[in-house]
Amino acid sequence: SSRAPAPRVCVVGSGPAGFYTAQHLLKHHDLAQVDIYEKLPVPFGLVRFGVAPDHPEVKNVINTFTQTARSERCAYYGNVAVGRDVTVGELRQAYHAVVLSYGAEDNRILGIPGENLPGVYSARAFVGWYNGLPENRDLNPDLSCETALILGHGNVALDIARILLSPLDLLRKTDITDCSLAALACSKVKRVWLAGRRGPLQVAFTIKELREMINLPGTQPVLNPADFTGLENAVKDAPRPRKRLTELMIKTALQKPGEVAAQAAAARQWGLKFQRSPQEVLPTADGRRARGVRMALTRLEGSGESAKAIPTGDVEELECGLVLSSIGYRSLPLDPAVPFDTQRGIIPNSMGRVEGAPGLYCSGWVKRGPTGVIITTMNDSFDTAQSVLEDLRGGMLDVSVSREGFGAVGSILRSRGVRPVSFSDWEKIDAAEVARGKAAGKPREKIVDPQEMLQLIGH
Ligand code: FAD
């Protein structure tokens, strides 16, 4: 009946996890109201700030998220950092349920000497830079060397390799920021190595991304056939994706240079290095910057996904002026009041219910760990939303007590001088970005300064 109390749910974070959780709740509960809080003025998390600019089709999920945000029972409050501007405790007072979907805002560190030398960057910072993430807008990476080394064998590593080696004409038509496009135009990088501790059967990237790299115009893959000896047999019974991926690497390794017309005169190269674990980033003679990485050679113990890399004792030096560590993102604890498993870097939960905290839930990378594509994140967010719905229906969440939702949080924010950005505010920023991009033939030119975003909407 129309008198039944409306459950108020709040979601922290506006990436895929936040939006898919909200979407599922709104779709499967006729009364639920969902407020989404986001730290940045602008929404969509890694869809805006992670997904590569030359993969525009991946960003189509934004259309679905926009539909959700425009629902009468959904509100978006950007420019609100939970944990700083409002505590999780205050949110729990104001809502029947709180879902934490704030992703993974840090990166794993290598933990080796020289890691902090100029010339060494985390993949997270580098990706944030070319995608216009405000905190990385001044990264200004030094691209004056010829050889770059990417540590990691995942899709993020391949994204970075592709951005470093793509012909500028391909990037110019994307929403890559103007400033990174200008830096890439002056880049001297013409050789990119991707190194991993384990072997070809353990790579984490997928075939679509590998194929894109192999077919990159003006760029030649350099794979060592010896790395693949006997693997054709080893993958005979492997799951199909692994088998096809390995076969593509083998085929590429066996191709003679010049066999692919577009690569005959390739000025740029990339390659995969296996069973190499970084030991130390080596400084130049003046100690001012990175000149290479000493790698420990490894042998594999065990096989398949669980194989372990054990150092053999042999080492090798790899010359490179640019080092990008792409060994994973990492979630951080948000608020001392929320349980956090520092070992695994996730909020301990079962089916999205935060352990020992009724009414508190989590979804996305902070629930599962920082792996998996948007579809994976969608499914686990639907699972979490399902848990909330079950708890609402099962009486575990007391909706007979009405909660004020943003009515309460809004006053708290006002008293602290925080001014939220609404979804229609975002739509103004969005329109301004699209207009700026149009002049340059780009889908958008991102505004990278949050102050400028706020000015634009009259904050
Ligand atoms: P996020 O997308 O990180 O969203 C978290 C949100 O929470 C962010 O908006 C953040 O600003 C906000 N937040 C953080 N702290 C707070 C706080 N204190 N208060 C309020 N809000 C906060 N998947 C694909 O399917 N295809 C791809 O091509 C692809 N490319 C990728 C490229 C990169 C470089 C990376 C890192 C990932 C890529 N992925 C891709 C994976 C995909 O991005 C993730 O699966 C997905 O974004 C995870 O969703 P999430 O909502 O958990 O986290």
Side-chain angles (χ1 to χ4, degrees), residues 176-226:
I176 191 168
T177 62
D178 245 354
C179 142
S180 37
L181 195 61
L184 287 166
C186 304
S187 166
K188 296 278 185 293
V189 176
K190 59 177 191 186
R191 199 174 304 108
V192 177
W193 296 117
L194 298 106
R197 286 183 303 174
R198 301 190 294 165
L201 296 183
Q202 285 80 30
V203 296
F205 49 71
T206 43
I207 195 160
K208 174 181 170 283
E209 280 73 13
L210 177 67
R211 194 177 291 123
E212 246 181 311
M213 201 61 211
I214 292 171
N215 295 332
L216 198 64
T219 308
Q220 188 186 10
V222 183
L223 301 186
N224 182 358

Side-chain angles (χ1 to χ4, degrees), residues 45-269:
L46 286 171
V47 179
R48 177 178 163 106
F49 294 117
V51 171
D54 57 345
H55 283 171
E57 69 289 349
V58 178
K59 303 187 198 210
N60 288 341
V61 292
I62 286 177
N63 300 330
T64 311
F65 299 163
T66 299
Q67 290 312 310
T68 299
R70 286 184 182 152
S71 151
E72 275 179 7
R73 291 184 286 123
C74 185
Y76 169 82
Y77 301 104
N79 200 30
V80 179
V82 172
R84 183 192 69 194
D85 298 333
V86 59
T87 65
V88 173
E90 287 164 338
L91 291 177
R92 295 181 75 188
Q93 282 290 314
Y95 291 89
H96 294 106
V98 174
V99 185
L100 302 170
S101 315
Y102 62 87
E105 294 246 279
D106 200 6
N107 52 268
R108 290 176 51 203
I109 59 163
L110 293 165
I112 58 172
E115 176 161 18
N116 297 320
L117 280 172
V120 185
Y121 306 91
S122 72
R124 195 191 57 74
F126 192 78
V127 168
W129 169 71
Y130 65 64
N131 277 328
L133 183 64
E135 67 171 283
N136 299 127
R137 67 183 193 268
D138 298 323
L139 187 75
N140 195 19
D142 185 340
L143 307 177
S144 63
C145 64
E146 294 196 347
T147 305
L149 171 64
I150 303 175
L151 300 167
H153 276 167
N155 280 335
V156 175
L158 281 186
D159 277 353
I160 293 177
R162 203 175 63 250
I163 295 296
L164 281 172
L165 295 177
S166 275
L168 275 191
D169 281 341
L170 294 185
L171 295 179
R172 235 189 279 282
K173 303 185 189 88
T174 72
D175 70 2
I176 191 168
T177 62
D178 245 354
C179 142
S180 37
L181 195 61
L184 287 166
C186 304
S187 166
K188 296 278 185 293
V189 176
K190 59 177 191 186
R191 199 174 304 108
V192 177
W193 296 117
L194 298 106
R197 286 183 303 174
R198 301 190 294 165
L201 296 183
Q202 285 80 30
V203 296
F205 49 71
T206 43
I207 195 160
K208 174 181 170 283
E209 280 73 13
L210 177 67
R211 194 177 291 123
E212 246 181 311
M213 201 61 211
I214 292 171
N215 295 332
L216 198 64
T219 308
Q220 188 186 10
V222 183
L223 301 186
N224 182 358
D227 286 335
F228 301 91
T229 312
L231 293 192
E232 196 119 48
N233 256 330
V235 288
K236 264 212 320 272
D237 302 319
R240 201 171 136 75
R242 172 67 65 195
K243 188 164 173 260
R244 290 179 57 224
L245 179 66
T246 309
E247 284 167 356
L248 179 59
M249 286 190 277
I250 295 173
K251 179 176 156 233
T252 309
L254 295 179
Q255 248 158 14
K256 301 200 174 53
E259 216 167 301
V260 182
Q263 293 161 357
R268 297 175 157 193
Q269 292 182 329

Side-chain angles (χ1 to χ4, degrees), residues 12-19 37-40 42-47 49-52 55 58 80-84 101-105 123 127 130-131 133 155-156 159 208-209 329 334 363-368 371-377 380-381:
V12 177
S14 70
F19 268 106
Y37 292 90
E38 165 61 51
K39 179 175 83 163
L40 293 166
V42 295
F44 311 136
L46 286 171
V47 179
F49 294 117
V51 171
H55 283 171
V58 178
V80 179
V82 172
R84 183 192 69 194
S101 315
Y102 62 87
E105 294 246 279
V127 168
Y130 65 64
N131 277 328
L133 183 64
N155 280 335
V156 175
D159 277 353
K208 174 181 170 283
E209 280 73 13
Y329 283 46
L334 182 67
S363 66
W365 275 12
V366 75
K367 167 191 178 189
R368 257 191 5 260
T371 58
V373 291
I374 294 171
I375 299 288
T376 329
T377 300
D380 102 62
S381 302

